[in-house]
Amino acid sequence: MSRFGVDCGAVSLARMLVEPAATSRSVSGRPVTRPGVPRPRTASDRAPAPAAPYWPRLLALLAVLACVTRIPSFLWPVWNPDEGFLATQARMLADGGQLYETVVDRKPPLVPWLYRGAFALFGDDSLVPLKILAVAAVFATAALLAALARRRWGDGAGRTAGVLCVLLSIGLNPEDTQAATFEVFMLPCTAAAMWCADRRRWGGAGLAVAAAFLTKQTGAAVLLPVLWLLWQSDRQRAALLRLAAGALTPVLTAALVTTPTGFLFWTVTGSGAYASFTGSELHVLFRALGNTALLAVASAGILQPVARVLRIARTGATDLWLWLGSSAAAVCLGFHFFGHYYLQLVPALALLGTAALQILPRDWLATALLTTACTCAFFLLWGLIAPRPELAHAARVAAAVQSRTPPGERVLVWGIHPETYWLADRPPASRFLTAGLLTNYSGGRNGPQVGEKYAVRGAWDTFQGEMTGRPPALVIDDARGKPFGVERITGLRKLLERGGYQRVAVVGGAVFYESESARGERTSPVTE
């Protein structure tokens, strides 16, 4: 597509959306008439009501935008290790594994269950059904924001909020935005919580908060603006009881369905070392600054209007600022600042931008939409052409695993790319699908807090039992120079020595070790 075509499409979209909207209001619903504020658009400025119904047109537009912006997600079998982790977990659950017992991760259960359900219905050899569900999640988030904005500021604001949400949803590294993982499925839950709270449906708001938390722990941050809206309402005690009942019932049910102690440990209490800032300060700081800069570029079209309105008027958008602030705190929680964490900021940013654009003159709206469409086109192009060297490496290692083991043979991939198990179609020898759970390495923590003593509490005892009780035929050290390689991890090195494992191959820097019983005639080292 030429640059001229992209610009023309963006201009057309902006022109379609820049229609006279309802009277400009603050979030509280009162017209903004303070001295020095540009004159708000009034009912006399409105164009005649369109003949076509409002929602069919808007939902069709949002559906098309969601499909287009997520085209890159369908180009690769997996986009990041989280997808590989979830796919491998789903296969383990299908084989009789129990979540938080023989299938473990630091995440709540909803997304693993979602993957498991999709695999049961459509097969486990493709993530396309999950990628389609991710498109639906982006669409649902945008539709809920559109409904919330329309209720507060009118038809034009609903269109603006929905479109901004979709365009901003890919405004980071494609590896973080195009994957069908936790944050993408969390966002419609947080938007639903605000939608329900805005309509004083407190039981529904509680259920949505619970769904957000059960998708990813940081989803519970939306509880803060929900509580603010509750405090602003009448009959606070009854509302609080309904909110609490709606929020606690699903969480307690999930704990009982899995195992209460395991649920509490893996989702709340067992991640102390993982959440520490010590050991990788500069590395983490640069990642935080880089991802903040990327989202700022994606949001360039609305940051200036928001800043302008902050200088000239008080919008009354307290709940939206609380939503943005609590989401920002959630991004910082754990001090990792991975790009996909920043997706949690998108709904609040889209609504704050929409609120600001209702107060400013109409030409600001056209500029904001055009700028956001152009930055979205940049991130979309990035997703379409970005190389995937880590996926290529994982595919090579998986092919080598397949060539050296029969179907169903258990293997151990000692690394941070659990997608290797899924690509190779071989079951893992351990419930710990990455070396991170046993060393505290997390794809970025490369300082002194990496090693056996920083592992999840009790993990090494369990791991040693797995390795000695049913030794894997093949162990792949995929550290490739990172600080969790076999040569640095004494416990793993001793397990390999006691099990009679010998180095038999090197594939793209990944070192293959075979047990004595599985080696057979393959005794000569091979480099691929």
Side-chain angles (χ1 to χ4, degrees):
M1 181 183 294
S2 69
R3 174 68 180 273
F4 176 76
V6 171
D7 289 345
C8 287
V11 170
S12 299
L13 175 62
R15 285 176 177 171
M16 181 175 66
L17 291 168
V18 180
E19 298 176 5
T23 304
S24 202
R25 294 176 173 87
S26 71
V27 172
S28 62
R30 294 184 296 272
V32 178
T33 58
R34 295 179 180 84
V37 180
R39 183 182 69 84
R41 300 189 288 276
T42 64
S44 61
D45 297 322
R46 298 180 191 174
Y54 177 83
W55 281 112
R57 293 180 63 191
L58 178 57
L59 293 179
L61 173 63
L62 297 179
V64 169
L65 289 176
C67 290
V68 170
T69 54
R70 296 198 67 83
I71 286 174
S73 69
F74 295 89
L75 299 181
W76 304 100
V78 290
W79 264 95
N80 65 21
D82 281 348
E83 283 187 328
F85 201 113
L86 287 162
T88 305
Q89 273 190 312
R91 280 182 173 170
M92 295 170 71
L93 291 172
D95 290 338
Q98 184 179 355
L99 199 59
Y100 306 128
E101 290 290 340
T102 57
V103 182
V104 299
D105 189 19
R106 294 186 176 101
K107 298 294 192 300
L110 275 193
V111 181
W113 285 342
L114 181 66
Y115 268 65
R116 171 69 186 98
F119 281 5
L121 291 174
F122 304 105
D124 65 0
D125 58 347
S126 172
L127 298 188
V128 168
L130 280 308
K131 296 173 187 292
I132 294 173
L133 287 175
V135 174
V138 172
F139 167 77
T141 305
L144 287 165
L145 295 190
L148 200 156
R150 187 192 189 206
R151 174 180 166 87
R152 296 186 176 195
W153 308 301
D155 289 357
R159 288 188 290 268
T160 301
V163 169
L164 285 176
C165 176
V166 178
L167 298 183
L168 292 175
S169 69
I170 62 167
L172 291 156
N173 189 316
E175 183 176 334
D176 294 307
T177 60
Q178 296 293 340
T181 53
F182 303 97
E183 287 79 9
V184 171
F185 295 115
M186 178 183 69
L187 292 187
C189 303
T190 61
M194 292 295 290
W195 184 93
C196 290
D198 190 61
R199 287 159 173 77
R200 305 302 188 256
R201 299 177 183 177
W202 303 113
L207 289 172
V209 171
F213 171 79
L214 290 173
T215 303
K216 190 181 178 186
Q217 295 93 323
T218 55
V222 76
L223 183 60
L224 182 60
V226 167
L227 287 173
W228 169 264
L229 290 172
L230 187 149
W231 185 64
Q232 299 292 309
S233 70
D234 299 327
R235 302 174 61 184
Q236 294 177 5
R237 180 175 299 179
L240 183 59
L241 289 175
R242 293 198 299 273
L243 178 66
L248 292 176
T249 300
V251 175
L252 294 175
T253 301
L256 292 173
V257 168
T258 55
T259 169
T261 55
F263 177 88
L264 180 64
F265 177 80
W266 284 103
T267 62
V268 180
T269 65
S271 302
Y274 182 79
S276 171
F277 185 63
T278 306
S280 305
E281 292 86 350
L282 284 178
H283 191 81
V284 169
L285 178 61
F286 285 134
R287 186 193 298 131
L289 293 174
N291 286 319
T292 301
L294 285 177
L295 187 59
V297 169
S299 307
I302 61 174
L303 291 181
Q304 188 178 2
V306 170
R308 170 70 174 166
V309 167
L310 281 176
R311 290 197 301 269
I312 65 176
R314 186 173 73 86
T315 65
T318 305
D319 59 331
L320 301 184
W321 284 107
L322 286 173
W323 192 6
L324 182 65
S326 62
S327 298
V331 171
C332 299
L333 188 65
F335 305 107
H336 286 271
F337 300 100
F338 292 121
H340 47 90
Y341 290 9
Y342 286 73
L343 288 174
Q344 191 163 353
L345 302 172
V346 166
L349 280 173
L351 284 177
L352 284 168
T354 301
L357 291 168
Q358 302 315 297
I359 296 172
L360 297 170
R362 193 174 301 127
D363 57 344
W364 283 74
L365 177 59
T367 301
L369 289 171
L370 180 60
T371 302
T372 307
C374 290
T375 57
C376 176
F378 164 76
F379 286 103
L380 178 60
L381 180 63
W382 184 3
L384 291 171
I385 67 175
R388 300 300 320 288
E390 288 300 307
L391 175 60
H393 169 78
R396 287 185 62 197
V397 173
V401 169
Q402 285 183 322
S403 70
R404 289 182 168 272
T405 57
E409 185 72 67
R410 298 164 72 250
V411 301
L412 176 72
V413 180
W414 182 257
I416 56 171
H417 289 283
E419 62 268 29
T420 306
Y421 291 116
W422 183 70
L423 293 170
D425 195 16
R426 296 294 184 268
S430 171
R431 70 198 68 193
F432 305 109
L433 299 184
T434 70
L437 296 171
L438 292 158
T439 65
N440 197 41
Y441 186 86
S442 62
R445 190 167 309 281
N446 52 9
Q449 288 207 15
V450 174
E452 293 162 86
K453 68 178 181 178
Y454 301 109
V456 172
R457 186 172 70 252
W460 272 95
D461 291 338
T462 302
F463 178 65
Q464 289 172 345
E466 292 172 326
M467 291 289 288
T468 56
R470 291 186 61 192
L474 197 63
V475 175
I476 301 98
D477 176 13
D478 197 25
R480 289 176 287 158
K482 298 180 178 68
F484 59 87
V486 169
E487 69 281 359
R488 298 191 185 187
I489 306 300
T490 304
L492 179 60
R493 189 170 64 251
K494 289 182 177 179
L495 285 171
L496 295 181
E497 291 171 355
R498 287 198 297 266
Y501 288 86
Q502 289 189 10
R503 175 171 166 161
V504 294
V506 179
V507 179
V511 182
F512 282 53
Y513 296 89
E514 273 187 335
S515 65
E516 186 175 359
S517 59
R519 238 179 356 263
E521 298 179 357
R522 294 191 295 270
T523 56
S524 301
V526 178
T527 301
E528 300 180 24

